[in-house]
Amino acid sequence: MFQLIKYFLNSSKKRKSFGQQSTAGYTLIELLIAMIIAFIILTPLLAFAVDILDTDRKEQAKVQSEQEIDSALDYMSRDLQQAVYIYDREGLDNNTGIADQLPVAGNGQICPSGATCTPVLVFWKRTHLSKDDTDSKDQRLGAVNNENDAFVYSLVGYYLVEGADNDIWAEDAARITRFELRDGLNLDNDPDDKEFAADAGFQLFDTSSSGSLETKMNSWEKSNQDYGTNLGAVLVDYIDNSATGQTIELQCNTSKVDDNGTQLEQRIPSTGNGFFVCVDSANTSARVFLRGNALARIQNNNVEYKESQKSFFPTVGAEIKGNGFLFTK
């Protein structure tokens, strides 16, 4: 092609009119023709380069989403392994459970202004407080019986947070926020003399009343003290929040029932595929499913889940059994 352009330009010089003095350079028409030919050659090359850069950007976003989703699931799995009780769908209902007692229903520390926040995974666990723990929240350990380790109960919750007035996510992406409320330490076994105070709003569950364990746990109420500030922490961003009804490979086992025919695994929430759990409260176990949205990292539209782009929506899941011990009276 370049040889053709060179031949054309050299030939044009020879076609100068007789009697006219030859001058260096090309006519305007010759330059326009050369530019058109160059445009025809360079345009596909430029489009190819842009396509390579776009593909590389998407691949980097996909890898980052996969890593963050894996890390989030690993963190939640280690958290759940200490669980002593996991709330099922009835336990997180406003009428039959503790939904109206959770921090999101208090002063809004978990839920930003304008956002929709859904409690998905809420459980009690025994938290091991190490004498080497220097976290500001655990300064209560400073005088624990010559710096021995200790155990306290904690209420932990994971929320699916969708949208906000100062929304930093695309329409089809959400985030997961975690909170934890810890009990205080009572070194003298005096219920009225806790040397290290519990977190604001914390109230220990009561297992001394009558009824089943589920009934006792679903009757939990926060203390009269307001929840503290900066209670929640973001676990992971860019969770898929596409329209419901999309296909997902991982589902709850609806055939898992007890001797009375009651379904053991309950899906929370009942819709949505970005973050949901299958809770078997009777056996203190849960299956956790997460699906990220890598496209939402790099573009603001066309980020809804599609089978043709499923590689950009990494999906992970794990079944976790709580190994904590609940000491009841």
Side-chain angles (χ1 to χ4, degrees):
M1 181 63 72
F2 289 104
Q3 293 294 331
L4 178 62
I5 296 174
K6 183 177 181 182
Y7 173 78
F8 172 78
L9 295 176
N10 289 335
S11 298
S12 65
K13 292 181 180 180
K14 298 177 182 180
R15 293 197 299 267
K16 298 295 182 179
S17 300
F18 292 104
Q20 294 182 352
Q21 183 179 0
S22 178
T23 58
Y26 307 104
T27 65
L28 180 59
I29 294 178
E30 293 168 349
L31 289 175
L32 288 175
I33 294 174
M35 290 175 62
I36 292 173
I37 295 175
F39 178 79
I40 294 174
I41 297 173
L42 294 178
T43 298
L45 295 176
L46 181 60
F48 179 69
V50 171
D51 184 65
I52 290 178
L53 292 176
D54 183 63
T55 301
D56 180 68
R57 190 162 62 110
K58 288 182 177 180
E59 288 299 320
Q60 290 183 9
K62 182 173 69 172
V63 170
Q64 185 174 358
S65 286
E66 290 173 346
Q67 292 175 343
E68 291 185 358
I69 290 296
D70 286 338
S71 297
L73 181 63
D74 181 65
Y75 185 94
M76 295 173 70
S77 298
R78 287 185 280 110
D79 212 10
L80 264 173
Q81 286 175 356
Q82 304 175 63
V84 298
Y85 184 82
I86 306 174
Y87 284 98
D88 58 15
R89 194 161 52 232
E90 285 73 22
L92 296 181
D93 185 82
N94 280 322
N95 298 319
T96 60
I98 65 170
D100 60 344
Q101 300 296 315
L102 296 175
V104 68
N107 296 329
Q109 299 90 341
I110 301 294
C111 202
S113 175
T116 301
C117 301
T118 305
V120 176
L121 179 61
V122 180
F123 56 94
W124 289 91
K125 72 172 187 177
R126 290 189 74 216
T127 301
H128 174 239
L129 301 180
S130 170
K131 65 181 180 181
D132 298 321
D133 195 340
T134 58
D135 187 276
S136 60
K137 205 173 184 181
D138 295 323
Q139 294 299 324
R140 67 193 85 178
L141 288 175
V144 178
N145 289 345
N146 297 322
E147 296 189 345
N148 290 327
D149 293 351
F151 287 90
V152 296
Y153 284 113
S154 295
L155 179 65
V156 178
Y158 289 87
Y159 282 90
L160 181 65
V161 182
E162 309 167 68
D165 289 344
N166 56 344
D167 197 359
I168 65 171
W169 317 289
E171 181 180 354
D172 295 307
R175 68 173 27 158
I176 297 176
T177 301
R178 177 187 184 273
F179 78 85
E180 180 175 358
L181 300 173
R182 294 183 181 177
D183 195 3
L185 288 175
N186 182 355
L187 304 182
D188 299 327
N189 295 321
D190 184 349
D192 298 323
D193 183 23
K194 288 196 173 182
E195 300 183 38
F196 302 94
D199 290 334
F202 179 88
Q203 179 67 48
L204 187 62
F205 51 81
D206 182 11
T207 58
S208 62
S209 58
S210 60
S212 65
L213 179 61
E214 180 181 7
T215 300
K216 298 173 184 178
M217 290 301 193
N218 289 352
S219 301
W220 176 81
E221 296 181 355
K222 66 180 291 293
S223 72
N224 294 328
Q225 186 181 13
D226 289 336
Y227 291 118
T229 58
N230 301 321
L231 183 60
V234 176
L235 177 66
V236 62
D237 272 320
Y238 299 105
I239 294 297
D240 183 40
N241 194 35
S242 299
T244 60
Q246 299 291 348
T247 302
I248 190 170
E249 296 83 357
L250 306 173
Q251 294 290 348
C252 296
N253 183 6
T254 56
S255 62
K256 191 175 182 180
V257 296
D258 60 15
D259 296 337
N260 298 321
T262 303
Q263 183 178 327
L264 292 178
E265 275 199 0
Q266 296 186 6
R267 192 186 199 275
I268 307 172
S270 57
T271 60
N273 293 320
F275 172 39
F276 69 92
V277 296
C278 301
V279 172
D280 182 352
S281 185
N283 295 307
T284 321
S285 67
R287 290 198 290 158
V288 183
F289 303 100
L290 301 176
R291 184 165 73 190
N293 190 332
L295 293 180
R297 296 178 177 274
I298 55 178
Q299 58 195 50
N300 294 323
N301 49 34
N302 298 322
V303 297
E304 185 168 313
Y305 178 82
K306 298 180 179 67
E307 287 292 326
S308 59
Q309 294 181 317
K310 63 187 302 181
S311 62
F312 295 102
F313 296 82
T315 303
V316 294
E319 182 171 2
I320 304 102
K321 168 71 175 171
N323 297 319
F325 297 96
L326 181 62
F327 295 102
T328 59
K329 295 181 181 179

